[in-house]
Amino acid sequence: MARIEVKSEITGTLWKLTSQVGDTVEEGAVLMIVESMKMEIPVITEDAGVVKELLVQPKDPVAEGQVVAILEG
């Protein structure tokens, strides 16, 4: 099984989780939503897999390029 790191493409604050640990997600699935400058930007996975870890929680700060989730695919 491959370890897949999902990174945020923008700096902001985690607004909402749309996936939970243990969820099976498809390529292009929205894992969470980051709020930045009053805009809601989805964090999308480029690979299918099972969510193993969520490294941020709602209201946590998120940096551009930060790993926010780990999938196993």
Side-chain angles (χ1 to χ4, degrees), residues 1-6 19-31 45-55 68-73:
M1 288 281 172
R3 174 185 158 102
I4 303 162
E5 294 183 342
V6 180
S19 296
Q20 299 298 321
V21 172
D23 288 356
T24 299
V25 294
E26 299 297 321
E27 178 182 336
V30 176
L31 298 180
T45 178
E46 295 179 5
D47 301 291
V50 176
V51 179
K52 289 297 177 186
E53 288 183 73
L54 295 169
L55 304 175
V68 293
I70 305 293
L71 304 182
E72 190 172 85

Side-chain angles (χ1 to χ4, degrees), residues 15-73:
W15 178 65
K16 180 180 181 181
L17 292 171
T18 56
S19 296
Q20 299 298 321
V21 172
D23 288 356
T24 299
V25 294
E26 299 297 321
E27 178 182 336
V30 176
L31 298 180
M32 57 191 69
I33 300 173
V34 175
E35 187 275 324
S36 180
M37 298 187 323
K38 308 271 185 210
M39 294 174 32
E40 297 168 6
I41 293 86
V43 176
I44 299 170
T45 178
E46 295 179 5
D47 301 291
V50 176
V51 179
K52 289 297 177 186
E53 288 183 73
L54 295 169
L55 304 175
V56 291
Q57 294 298 312
K59 299 186 180 177
D60 285 353
V62 177
E64 181 178 347
Q66 177 181 343
V67 176
V68 293
I70 305 293
L71 304 182
E72 190 172 85

